[in-house]
């Protein structure tokens, strides 16, 4: 019989940016912009409260993504609690390409595991990652949300896999967040089913270069972030975002569409470099200078 811990448990989980230009569905980076979840096993029923991003628009029932993830984890851990209270304090914007759904999935799984006595012995990080990737459908955001840092992920006949790679401490980012979102489904729907061999080869070369650039050769980030496979194809859904990417890159700033967009991410040389770039934020958008998060989802004391 599953045994649950007494009292509330709090979990923090970072925003993430995937693709990073050429690394489509494979590269992901954790960012120091964090949602916080608080959960507690209750007598009966379900109570969900959302503060911040998504407040007033996301469902407050079993269909809430954090709740769905928690239910999946409880099933894997041996049983559902009699009742559940959940409070989500969200700062990661929704439908902007900053991994809000992965934060919800990973945060919910980690929270549920922490609410079960000895949960990490039954559902370790490897099993939790596999469950998160299956729920999300691809691993590029859930991996850095769980592990932190910069990760390289994929899927093959043996399942989902991931590994971490270093990030030079000089590297920070600026994210430019537009007021309106674009759904991942719309953004993916614009991609062709086939691509030219030359474009695939060009992206493969730049993906390899990007791993090296982030690890300690940031002078190569502009060339390394050039994409051939998905950004230009998405321009009809986010013309202002691609216009900003074009303008920044014309000034030698390594800028990309973050995930499925429409947020624009630019790599900079530390916080000071990021502060200088804030003046490029379009009217009505929000801009944030963010460090790379070296930690993923974690339980707070």
């Amino acid at each position: 019989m599953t045994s649950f811990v007494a009292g509330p448990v709090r979990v923090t989980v970072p925003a993430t940016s995937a693709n990073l230009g050429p690394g489509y569905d494979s590269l992901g980076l954790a960012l120091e912009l964090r949602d916080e979840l608080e959960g507690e096993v209750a007598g009966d029923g379900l109570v969900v409260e959302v503060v911040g991003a998504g407040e007033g628009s996301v469902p407050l029932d079993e269909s809430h993504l954090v709740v769905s993830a928690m239910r999946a984890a409880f099933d894997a851990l041996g049983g559902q609690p009699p009742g559940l209270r959940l409070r989500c304090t969200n700062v990661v914007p929704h439908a902007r390409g900053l991994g809000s759904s992965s934060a919800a999935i990973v945060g919910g799984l980690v929270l549920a595991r922490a609410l079960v006595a000895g949960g990490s012995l039954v559902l370790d990080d490897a099993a939790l990652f596999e469950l998160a990737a299956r729920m999300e459908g691809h691993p590029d955001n859930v991996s850095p949300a769980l592990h932190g840092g910069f990760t390289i992920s994929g899927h093959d006949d043996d399942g989902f896999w991931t590994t971490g790679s270093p990030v030079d401490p000089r590297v920070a980012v600026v994210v430019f967040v537009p007021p309106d979102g674009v759904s991942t489904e719309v953004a993916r729907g614009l991609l062709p089913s086939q691509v030219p061999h030359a474009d695939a080869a060009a992206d493969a070369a730049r993906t390899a270069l990007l791993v090296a650039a982030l690890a300690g050769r940031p002078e190569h980030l502009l060339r390394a972030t050039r994409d051939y496979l998905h950004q230009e194809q998405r321009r009809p859904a986010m013309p202002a975002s691609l216009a900003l990417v074009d303008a920044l890159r014309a000034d030698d700033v390594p800028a990309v569409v973050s995930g499925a967009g429409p947020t624009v991410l630019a790599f900079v040389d530390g916080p000071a470099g990021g502060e200088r770039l804030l003046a490029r934020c379009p009217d009505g958008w929000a801009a944030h200078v963010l460090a790379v998060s070296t930690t993923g989802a974690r339980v707070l004391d």
Side-chain angles (χ1 to χ4, degrees):
M1 182 176 179
T2 305
S3 177
F4 300 98
V5 304
V9 172
R10 291 187 301 137
V11 166
T12 177
V13 58
T16 53
S17 181
N19 303 332
L20 306 177
Y24 181 71
D25 274 4
S26 60
L27 302 185
L29 189 68
L31 304 173
E32 275 300 339
L33 186 69
R34 289 179 167 266
D35 286 348
E36 185 174 311
L37 311 176
E38 180 176 289
E40 184 175 11
V41 173
D44 56 58
L46 172 68
V47 176
V48 179
E49 181 182 1
V50 174
V51 177
E55 182 177 356
S57 62
V58 299
L60 303 179
D61 55 20
E62 293 285 346
S63 64
H64 190 285
L65 190 52
V66 173
V67 177
S68 297
M70 295 182 75
R71 295 301 189 195
F74 286 135
D75 282 342
L77 289 162
Q80 297 291 330
L84 188 63
R85 288 197 293 269
L86 171 68
R87 177 183 172 89
C88 305
T89 304
N90 297 334
V91 297
V92 180
H94 290 191
R96 299 299 194 279
L98 286 170
S100 61
S101 63
S102 290
I105 290 169
V106 171
L109 293 174
V110 171
L111 179 58
R113 182 175 68 177
L115 286 169
V116 173
S120 59
L121 299 177
V122 180
L123 188 69
D124 63 12
D125 280 354
L128 192 147
F129 163 70
E130 180 78 19
L131 183 54
R134 289 204 309 267
M135 289 189 67
E136 180 75 328
H138 41 87
D140 51 346
N141 283 106
V142 298
S143 179
L146 176 61
H147 299 295
F150 174 47
T151 63
I152 306 160
S153 308
H155 181 264
D156 55 28
D157 292 342
D158 295 323
F160 293 97
W161 55 266
T162 189
T163 188
S165 185
V167 178
D168 190 298
R170 293 171 289 177
V171 174
V173 307
V174 178
V175 292
F176 300 94
V177 186
D180 299 315
V182 173
S183 75
T184 300
E185 291 74 18
V186 168
R188 282 184 174 270
L190 292 170
L191 301 182
S193 58
Q194 296 182 339
V195 298
H197 187 277
D199 288 351
D203 253 38
R206 280 158 178 77
T207 301
L209 180 61
L210 181 53
V211 174
L214 285 174
R217 302 295 298 274
E219 66 272 18
H220 295 297
L221 279 169
L222 182 64
R223 173 174 283 129
T225 50
R226 171 69 163 91
D227 166 69
Y228 293 81
L229 296 185
H230 68 97
Q231 292 192 157
E232 184 61 34
Q233 292 83 345
R234 289 168 164 168
R235 189 180 293 269
M238 52 192 88
S241 298
L242 269 299
L244 179 57
V245 169
D246 292 343
L248 290 170
R249 295 186 68 85
D251 291 334
D252 296 331
V253 177
V256 297
V257 173
S258 179
T263 291
V264 172
L265 179 145
F267 288 106
V268 293
D269 185 3
E275 292 295 332
R276 291 192 293 270
L277 205 59
L278 292 179
R280 302 293 296 272
C281 185
D283 291 343
W285 293 38
H288 309 278
V289 182
L290 302 175
V292 175
S293 178
T294 58
T295 58
R298 67 179 187 273
V299 178
L300 297 172
D301 295 331

